[in-house]
Amino acid sequence: MPERDTPPRWDRRMQQRLARGEAAALGELYDRFASLVHGLAHRVVGDEPAADALTRDVFAHVWQHPDSYDPDEGPLRSWLAALTNRLAVQRLRTTGTAALARGGPGTTEDLERTLRHASVAARADYIVQSLPTPLRAALELAYFQRRDYHQTATDLGVTDDEARRRLRLGLQLLATAHDTETPGAPPGIGGAA
């Protein structure tokens, strides 16, 4: 069953608890979002140890800078996804640049191409995580469970037309992942970051 959107009230309360330094709040946040953060990090860097380190870095950043999240700007889930993607692309750039400086294989152009691909993947992941639950649920059913629009409609308890509408809108939004000038794109996600 798809996860429901996190209520804004929960996001605000969590940010306040983190700002007060409640370790239990960090544990709760970690339990809820660690798999999301790790999956997004792994998608960009493609390496398990690097994704583990990035997951630690994201939650360390949240702990050290709880006021950097503003609940009025959007859901905590989306903010964590954007933060993860930004840090992952930065890590990929840093390690790639260091490898080139040591005389590793490839060129600067290869690195930039890799970064562009990682940025597009990160943006696509950010878009999916930011979608409203009905759109995200329809895309997850269609993609991960290989449901057609009729099966998706049945699983979601909506009409066939509504399932087609949700899938079409979700796919249109995903298509913007290649658009580096999309208004509202999180910092460091569009383009080569």
Side-chain angles (χ1 to χ4, degrees):
M1 180 173 222
E3 183 179 45
R4 295 171 36 127
D5 279 340
T6 305
R9 182 180 31 199
W10 186 89
D11 292 353
R12 189 173 307 284
R13 196 169 57 244
M14 177 57 67
Q15 191 275 332
Q16 291 166 348
R17 290 175 62 203
L18 289 166
R20 286 192 304 262
E22 289 184 31
L26 182 64
E28 187 179 327
L29 187 72
Y30 183 88
D31 289 345
R32 188 172 201 153
F33 293 115
S35 62
L36 165 73
V37 168
H38 189 273
L40 293 173
H42 194 275
R43 172 83 164 99
V44 175
V45 296
D47 177 62
E48 193 69 26
D52 292 343
L54 276 164
T55 302
R56 287 189 301 274
D57 290 349
V58 167
F59 286 99
H61 176 87
V62 170
W63 180 248
Q64 295 165 355
H65 308 283
D67 293 331
S68 62
Y69 167 65
D70 180 1
D72 294 331
E73 295 294 319
L76 183 56
R77 174 188 186 92
S78 297
W79 180 78
L80 283 170
L83 176 62
T84 302
N85 290 328
R86 189 178 77 241
L87 293 177
V89 170
Q90 286 173 354
R91 168 98 28 114
L92 196 58
R93 178 180 294 284
T94 301
T95 57
T97 302
L100 286 175
R102 288 190 310 269
T107 65
T108 305
E109 291 79 23
D110 293 337
L111 175 60
E112 288 303 318
R113 188 175 17 264
T114 299
L115 290 169
R116 274 193 302 279
H117 289 297
S119 295
V120 168
R123 177 139 172 76
D125 287 340
Y126 172 81
I127 290 168
V128 169
Q129 295 307 319
S130 300
L131 288 174
T133 301
L135 297 181
R136 190 171 60 242
L139 285 176
E140 287 173 351
L141 284 169
Y143 182 76
F144 292 112
Q145 297 183 24
R146 306 279 190 224
R147 303 279 202 257
D148 63 22
Y149 75 90
H150 180 73
Q151 293 166 322
T152 298
T154 301
D155 289 351
L156 295 176
V158 298
T159 65
D160 286 358
D161 287 340
E162 177 62 15
R164 277 195 294 267
R165 186 190 69 75
R166 290 179 185 183
L167 289 169
R168 183 174 43 251
L169 182 55
L171 290 172
Q172 286 170 339
L173 290 170
L174 268 177
T176 67
H178 288 282
D179 182 5
T180 61
E181 300 301 321
T182 301
I189 301 302

